[in-house]
Amino acid sequence: MLTDFWTVLWPCGLGPWVQHASWPQLSLLLVVTLLSLLLALHNQRRYRRLCADHQRRMAEFEGTVAALDRAIALAEFDAQGHVLHANGNYLDMMGYTLAEIQGHHHAIFCTPQAVVAPTYAAFWRRLAQGDLVAGEVERVAKGGRTVWLYATYNPIRDADGRVCRIVKFALDLTERRVMEQELRHTKERAEQAAAARSSFLANIGHEIRTPMNAILGLSEALLDTPLDADQRRQLGLVHQAGKSLLRLLNDILDTARLEKGTLVLERADFSLRQLCRHVLDGLQGSASSKGLALRLDYPAQLPEHFCGDAQRVQQVVFNLLSNAVKFTATGEVCLRVRQVQEQLLLQVQDSGIGIAPEQLSHIFEPFTQADASITRRFGGMGLGITIARQLVELMGGRIEVQSTLGQGTVFSVYLTLPPGRMAAVAALTDAAQATTDADASGTLTALAAPMAAVAPQCCAWVQTACQALAHGEVPDEALAQLQALLPASEFEVVQQAIHRFDFDGAQQLLQRWVR
């Protein structure tokens, strides 16, 4: 091994002796020194990068804090609830300066009732435990002005994990609260007005119906007397106008009851085939005067008897059919009955003027027709279709419409009605026969004389109820008169027959009881 002796001199010329240092040892020392320098350079660069990242993050954090300070109201409290700081937004919202609130307790922003409430002390206990508290709160600004806030109270912990201060973020909800209160008051006033309207309609409807029924009855009676052509024409106009007015009144009352939710559905067995035929018979005169064909498409294999509110089903069918007859000048109007899976499908198809596509979405709205010219040409208030939709939805079904302008319209009603029992006329015939047999044993001896006295009036009121139902009207008055004339058990049987649209059966019952 080679060994050299070196003298290491300082700049002054003096220095220690490095003796017995071999070349390999010097090489190792040089390598270690170089590695140390490289490591120091690497650490220095890494430190500079870390410093740059820290400065960038600090700048971003300061920018975020500044953005929050500009966008939201912020206040800081110590753990006991004293104000430490508040930004400009918070001061503007509460109407104070920082000097006026700094060092004061949070209670200066609350009503006296809220401060003494147990919930206020519990609120600060939760914050002291480190729980975040948020929600809508009522606060008092300078001068006693009420301010509604959505406030978030965020506890901040120190290095030891203890809550040292509370940071509050707040959004001013005062305008929204005022608007909500105004809307609430407006809604209450609207509900009161609707209730007053319904009460008015109910009262005025009763007051109008009584004289209107007298007008209709007298005009119909006069039409059966000898009249010249001009008198018959004028009296016919009076009678027709009275029926139109009574139908309009019933529509308005039905709409009010449907909107109020006071209309109650009945459930009874009825014959749908008879119901459809009676409605078509009631509209046959209007259709014949225009040269229209009214057609019922009810396949023989379909069920006939269903359970539901026959009067409301009839009202829906009548409204759709009368609407179709009104808006059809030539061709035909068809009532089609089908069974689609578990639902009953009632379709009314016409070859009338049709409905424009842009009007289809509004056709079920009340007092709405395709355009103003429709009202001038055909009359009406646009309530029939609305009532049909409301009744169908009340019965748990749906109604759809398809139309082509100038070619016609199809209204489709889907109802879920359970199957009914035997035909009403058969049930009534059996009941009448049983009553007649019982009479032979003396059961109805006392009943025969009173029934014979009121039978003509009862038959007339049954006929009135028949005509009312055929024209889509509610036969309330006719049923009330029958109830006053008949014993309770007999009235119930006749009423069931009328609601099943079995008017012939009701007349037969009355005749059997008289005999």
Side-chain angles (χ1 to χ4, degrees):
M1 180 184 345
L2 297 177
T3 304
D4 292 325
F5 296 88
W6 301 87
T7 301
V8 179
L9 301 178
W10 298 111
C12 60
L14 300 177
W17 289 93
V18 180
Q19 299 179 357
H20 308 290
S22 63
W23 281 108
Q25 290 174 337
L26 289 174
S27 300
L28 179 60
L29 180 62
L30 182 60
V31 169
V32 172
T33 303
L34 289 174
L35 290 175
S36 299
L37 289 173
L38 291 174
L39 182 59
L41 289 173
H42 174 73
N43 288 338
Q44 185 179 23
R45 291 175 180 173
R46 185 169 176 270
Y47 174 74
R48 289 175 179 173
R49 286 198 301 269
L50 289 176
C51 288
D53 290 342
H54 177 71
Q55 291 176 354
R56 188 184 74 254
R57 292 177 182 176
M58 286 298 297
E60 292 176 353
F61 176 75
E62 291 174 358
T64 302
V65 171
L68 287 174
D69 188 68
R70 291 191 300 268
I72 198 169
L74 180 147
E76 293 184 44
F77 304 86
D78 61 18
Q80 289 72 40
H82 298 94
V83 178
L84 299 176
H85 176 73
N87 69 352
N89 290 332
Y90 190 86
L91 296 174
D92 293 340
M93 183 173 62
M94 305 305 293
Y96 289 101
T97 64
L98 182 58
E100 289 175 322
I101 63 174
Q102 200 165 31
H104 288 274
H105 195 270
H106 176 269
I108 66 171
F109 305 120
C110 303
T111 63
Q113 296 83 2
V115 173
V116 298
T119 54
Y120 189 70
F123 163 76
W124 282 104
R125 283 197 299 270
R126 288 185 58 192
L127 292 176
Q129 295 170 1
D131 295 339
L132 183 143
V133 180
E136 293 187 15
V137 293
E138 181 184 8
R139 294 292 179 252
V140 179
K142 187 176 181 179
R145 176 171 52 90
T146 299
V147 179
W148 283 94
L149 306 176
Y150 183 84
T152 304
Y153 294 84
N154 305 272
I156 306 298
R157 299 179 183 272
D158 58 15
D160 298 327
R162 293 174 301 185
V163 175
C164 59
R165 58 195 177 98
I166 310 295
V167 177
K168 171 185 176 181
F169 298 102
L171 292 174
D172 191 353
L173 304 180
T174 306
E175 291 185 4
R176 195 197 74 178
R177 276 278 182 162
V178 171
M179 182 177 63
E180 288 178 353
Q181 291 178 355
E182 291 178 352
L183 290 175
R184 191 178 299 110
H185 293 157
T186 303
K187 177 177 176 291
E188 292 173 356
R189 289 193 296 268
E191 290 175 348
Q192 293 173 358
R197 182 193 65 179
S198 299
S199 177
F200 170 77
L201 289 175
N203 293 331
I204 199 67
H206 176 74
E207 296 298 329
I208 294 177
R209 267 181 176 162
T210 302
M212 186 56 61
N213 284 325
I215 293 173
L216 291 175
L218 290 173
S219 61
E220 189 169 359
L222 287 174
L223 286 172
D224 293 333
T225 62
L227 299 170
D228 59 40
D230 192 42
Q231 289 175 330
R232 185 171 297 279
R233 180 184 62 82
Q234 294 177 356
L235 193 58
L237 291 176
V238 171
H239 187 70
Q240 188 61 38
K243 291 170 60 177
S244 299
L245 183 58
L246 188 60
R247 189 178 303 116
L248 175 60
L249 177 64
N250 290 333
D251 287 345
I252 293 175
L253 293 176
D254 284 341
T255 301
R257 286 192 292 174
L258 286 166
E259 289 179 352
K260 193 177 179 181
T262 58
L263 190 65
V264 180
L265 296 177
E266 298 179 356
R267 291 183 63 84
D269 297 329
F270 68 97
S271 169
L272 180 62
R273 194 183 299 275
Q274 290 184 16
L275 183 151
C276 294
R277 286 173 178 166
H278 279 295
V279 175
L280 290 174
D281 290 343
L283 292 170
Q284 190 63 53
S286 300
S288 299
S289 65
K290 302 176 68 174
L292 297 177
L294 279 181
R295 186 165 62 88
L296 174 62
D297 182 3
Y298 198 136
Q301 67 272 18
L302 287 185
E304 177 179 350
H305 302 99
F306 295 90
C307 181
D309 194 326
Q311 182 176 333
R312 299 307 172 187
V313 174
Q314 180 268 342
Q315 190 174 359
V316 171
V317 174
F318 175 83
N319 285 0
L320 295 179
L321 280 172
S322 62
N323 195 72
V325 171
K326 181 197 300 184
F327 295 111
T328 303
T330 59
E332 72 168 13
V333 174
C334 176
L335 172 58
R336 187 178 297 110
V337 182
R338 294 290 185 270
Q339 191 103 27
V340 179
Q341 296 179 354
E342 300 297 326
Q343 287 188 311
L344 178 68
L345 171 61
L346 302 172
Q347 280 188 329
V348 175
Q349 182 174 3
D350 64 61
S351 56
I353 61 175
I355 306 170
E358 62 271 13
Q359 296 294 333
L360 281 177
S361 59
H362 307 291
I363 198 64
F364 293 110
E365 296 177 3
F367 305 104
T368 299
Q369 292 188 341
D371 53 56
S373 63
I374 297 298
T375 304
R376 292 192 297 269
R377 289 170 55 196
F378 298 96
M381 297 294 292
L383 285 176
I385 301 300
T386 301
I387 294 174
R389 176 187 63 82
Q390 292 172 326
L391 289 174
V392 169
E393 292 177 353
L394 184 63
M395 291 185 284
R398 72 181 194 276
I399 184 170
E400 300 174 353
V401 59
Q402 296 176 334
S403 183
T404 302
L405 193 61
Q407 297 184 15
T409 305
V410 179
F411 283 93
S412 302
V413 175
Y414 295 86
L415 295 174
T416 303
L417 297 177
R421 292 175 295 175
M422 60 188 303
V425 62
L428 290 173
T429 303
D430 294 343
Q433 185 62 48
T435 303
T436 304
D437 295 341
D439 187 37
S441 62
T443 304
L444 292 181
T445 304
L447 176 65
M451 285 296 298
V454 301
Q457 300 177 55
C458 291
C459 290
W461 283 115
V462 168
Q463 183 67 21
T464 301
C466 169
Q467 294 175 352
L469 286 172
H471 288 87
E473 300 166 1
V474 182
D476 290 338
E477 184 178 2
L479 291 176
Q481 294 292 341
L482 287 170
Q483 188 175 14
L485 293 170
L486 295 174
S489 58
E490 283 71 23
F491 168 73
E492 183 177 354
V493 177
V494 173
Q495 183 185 32
Q496 291 176 359
I498 291 173
H499 282 306
R500 290 185 175 109
F501 294 86
D502 183 24
F503 308 114
D504 295 336
Q507 298 279 13
Q508 292 173 10
L509 276 175
L510 292 171
Q511 294 171 3
R512 286 177 183 272
W513 285 332
V514 171
R515 291 198 302 268

